[in-house]
Amino acid sequence: MDHPFVTAPRERTLNVRPRAWQPRAIALALAAASLCGGAQAADKKKAEPVTAEQLQQLMQRMQQLEQRNSELEQQVKALAARPSPATPATAAAPGASGTPAPGGDWGQQRLVAVEQQVKALTKPVQPDTDDELTVETSLVAVGQQVGSKGSDSGHSQGRLNYRGDVEVSVPLGTLRALGEARFTGFGHLRFGQGSGVALRPTHTATVNSVPFEAGAGSDETYAIIGQAWGQLEWDLGAGRFNDLPSNRVELNLGKIDIFGFFDQNAVAGDEGAQFLNNVFVHNPLLDSGGDIAADAYGFAPGLRVAYIDEGEDRGWGWAASLGVFGSGGGANFSAGPRRPLVIGQVEFSPKQINGEPRGTYRLYAWTNGQTTDLSGEAAQRHSGYGLSVDQRIGREWNLFGRWGHRTSGDGAFDKALTFGFEHGGRAWGRGNDSIGLAAGFVRTSSAWANATSLDPTLVGFAADGNEQILEAYYRWKLSDHLELTPDLQWIRRAGGNGDAPSFMAVGLRAAVGF
């Protein structure tokens, strides 16, 4: 069935009827031009006279052109009057069962068809990006300063670091032995140098999520393979409006960034462009709290399977996915894959009229048998659930919220709520810029409150209540490839310490991507 928003192209006809006076006029013009040309050159040399024989040849040529013109006119008339042949294709079409269609004749229809074919052949060819290798690179640098009230040393600290990422996606063809599955390979190299500022005891893992440094330290920097996985994709229907993908099943296997497939968020999920504090980048329980138990760089080998329903007829789509990932020793290949991280997620996306989502609502739950107790030594299973929401309102507002709750296992905190927004700069004449603001509340767990109360030497205070975090940034887009982002953070009751002074972290991020 034709899409209701697609209309047929307007037919145009060509007037190909020749005019009888054209050859005679051309011949007279040629004769006049030759006479005038000879007259204008008389001052240099005498023009040769036009003989009667030459005039006779011109008249004969003119008569031949007129005769040919008359023959062509008769052929066009005969072609226009000829009925269309009765073929199976035309017999099924209205007005095409051996007679000219209403509103036009067969000759004109044929001319229109030829014109449309010519247009189709001359249209620029658009490459199929799904069948091409793609490479994306980025380089992010952050300079950050924290005062003596927030530093672990009691003195003001300043740090500068950078991180580079190279991501390559390679189409590997169709595996017909697996039911026409499209196969894609993905690789991710990461390198960097420098560490972030060191804070006093906090629930916040870091105020700067960008730093990456290999185990050898700042003097020896080299790249690691962050991700290397393959994806099989089974299409369950034809492509949709605006070239959007259809319903499908996806299977991923390899070394994976778990947050690329679970707990995603369009507003708070990219430390290279959005919020820097770790509690806003991901669910704090999974990341800052350590419940994913990935390797030292945040990656882990695993398997993910998903069913995605684009909801073309409903106005909203949904998806369900399940992941099993190595954790603890299984994440860095130093032990077997026993007691892995298991995480499941369902998501719902309201769609615009063009099929693109206006927001996404994700609900997920996890369990991990490779996490540890408060001492960090004894193995202990951690389980919990979380919610991640992003929603666009109007043209400029992008809202987000996250909630996390650990239902079993002990950690320094067991509940976290973060929310905020990003607003585009169109209102002040900078449509490519954005401003972001977020607030977070990380709740001290009762187990940690009891432990620090009984043994003040653990962190030097009895923890209780919420750690509170605010972050604001302004992303200034200088060009298609360069962005500068001043960033300001404020932390109160760090680590659940009611006596701790509030402190600020000030930073500037520069990001280059191509």
Side-chain angles (χ1 to χ4, degrees), residues 101-188:
D105 53 57
W106 184 84
Q108 290 178 338
Q109 291 178 6
R110 181 60 179 164
L111 289 172
V112 171
V114 172
E115 182 186 24
Q116 292 175 348
Q117 290 176 0
V118 171
K119 287 182 179 179
L121 290 172
T122 57
K123 185 183 297 183
V125 177
Q126 300 295 331
D128 186 355
T129 56
D130 291 338
D131 295 330
E132 292 185 346
L133 181 147
T134 60
V135 179
E136 295 184 4
T137 61
S138 65
L139 185 66
V140 181
V142 175
Q144 201 168 46
Q145 182 83 22
V146 65
S148 58
K149 295 179 180 180
S151 169
D152 65 341
S153 64
H155 303 286
S156 178
Q157 280 188 40
R159 294 288 186 273
L160 178 67
N161 66 276
Y162 74 89
R163 188 185 77 193
D165 293 275
V166 180
E167 298 179 349
V168 180
S169 180
V170 184
L172 299 174
T174 300
L175 301 183
R176 293 178 175 81
L178 296 178
E180 298 293 330
R182 186 163 59 249
F183 188 27
T184 304
F186 180 82
H188 175 197

Side-chain angles (χ1 to χ4, degrees), residues 258-259 261-264 283 286 291-292 303-305 320-325 340-346 363-368 384-386:
I258 298 168
F259 294 112
F261 297 101
F262 297 92
D263 185 44
Q264 312 99 302
N283 186 318
L286 288 171
D291 274 11
I292 61 170
L303 168 74
R304 173 244 184 192
V305 62
S321 55
L322 178 68
V324 180
F325 300 93
L341 165 69
V342 179
I343 182 169
Q345 176 174 281
V346 292
L363 177 65
Y364 47 91
W366 71 88
T367 184
N368 192 340
Y385 65 89

Side-chain angles (χ1 to χ4, degrees), residues 15-312:
N15 185 359
V16 297
R17 182 177 179 179
R19 303 192 180 209
W21 48 267
Q22 286 179 341
R24 182 175 299 171
I26 293 171
L28 292 175
L30 289 172
S34 64
L35 292 174
C36 293
Q40 291 175 354
D43 57 339
K44 295 182 180 179
K45 66 178 182 176
K46 186 176 180 180
E48 296 182 359
V50 178
T51 64
E53 182 180 356
Q54 290 175 331
L55 289 176
Q56 181 64 26
Q57 291 175 353
L58 273 176
M59 293 300 295
Q60 291 177 354
R61 180 58 178 163
M62 183 181 67
Q63 291 175 357
Q64 291 175 356
L65 290 174
E66 286 182 337
Q67 182 178 358
R68 181 58 178 163
N69 179 66
S70 178
E71 292 174 355
L72 288 174
E73 184 177 8
Q74 295 299 322
Q75 291 179 7
V76 170
K77 288 181 178 180
L79 183 63
R82 184 186 303 172
S84 61
T87 63
T90 58
S97 56
T99 60
D105 53 57
W106 184 84
Q108 290 178 338
Q109 291 178 6
R110 181 60 179 164
L111 289 172
V112 171
V114 172
E115 182 186 24
Q116 292 175 348
Q117 290 176 0
V118 171
K119 287 182 179 179
L121 290 172
T122 57
K123 185 183 297 183
V125 177
Q126 300 295 331
D128 186 355
T129 56
D130 291 338
D131 295 330
E132 292 185 346
L133 181 147
T134 60
V135 179
E136 295 184 4
T137 61
S138 65
L139 185 66
V140 181
V142 175
Q144 201 168 46
Q145 182 83 22
V146 65
S148 58
K149 295 179 180 180
S151 169
D152 65 341
S153 64
H155 303 286
S156 178
Q157 280 188 40
R159 294 288 186 273
L160 178 67
N161 66 276
Y162 74 89
R163 188 185 77 193
D165 293 275
V166 180
E167 298 179 349
V168 180
S169 180
V170 184
L172 299 174
T174 300
L175 301 183
R176 293 178 175 81
L178 296 178
E180 298 293 330
R182 186 163 59 249
F183 188 27
T184 304
F186 180 82
H188 175 197
L189 295 178
R190 174 165 286 181
F191 59 92
Q193 217 170 357
S195 60
V197 295
L199 303 178
R200 60 181 301 150
T202 64
H203 293 327
T204 302
T206 176
V207 291
N208 180 6
S209 300
V210 170
F212 169 83
E213 197 168 69
S218 295
D219 288 333
E220 295 185 28
T221 178
Y222 51 86
I224 68 160
I225 299 176
Q227 299 184 76
W229 47 261
Q231 175 173 293
L232 293 173
E233 181 178 320
W234 290 268
D235 287 332
L236 303 180
R240 302 183 299 122
F241 177 64
N242 203 26
D243 295 330
L244 294 173
S246 63
N247 300 346
R248 60 197 181 277
V249 172
E250 294 179 351
L251 175 66
N252 301 84
L253 178 64
K255 190 180 180 186
I256 297 173
D257 177 5
I258 298 168
F259 294 112
F261 297 101
F262 297 92
D263 185 44
Q264 312 99 302
N265 197 288
V267 184
D270 182 1
E271 65 272 17
Q274 298 164 336
F275 299 100
L276 279 172
N277 195 300
N278 197 249
V279 300
F280 300 125
V281 179
H282 305 126
N283 186 318
L285 292 167
L286 288 171
D287 198 352
S288 298
D291 274 11
I292 61 170
D295 68 9
Y297 309 115
F299 307 108
L303 168 74
R304 173 244 184 192
V305 62
Y307 170 76
I308 301 169
D309 186 328
E310 295 292 348
E312 182 179 5

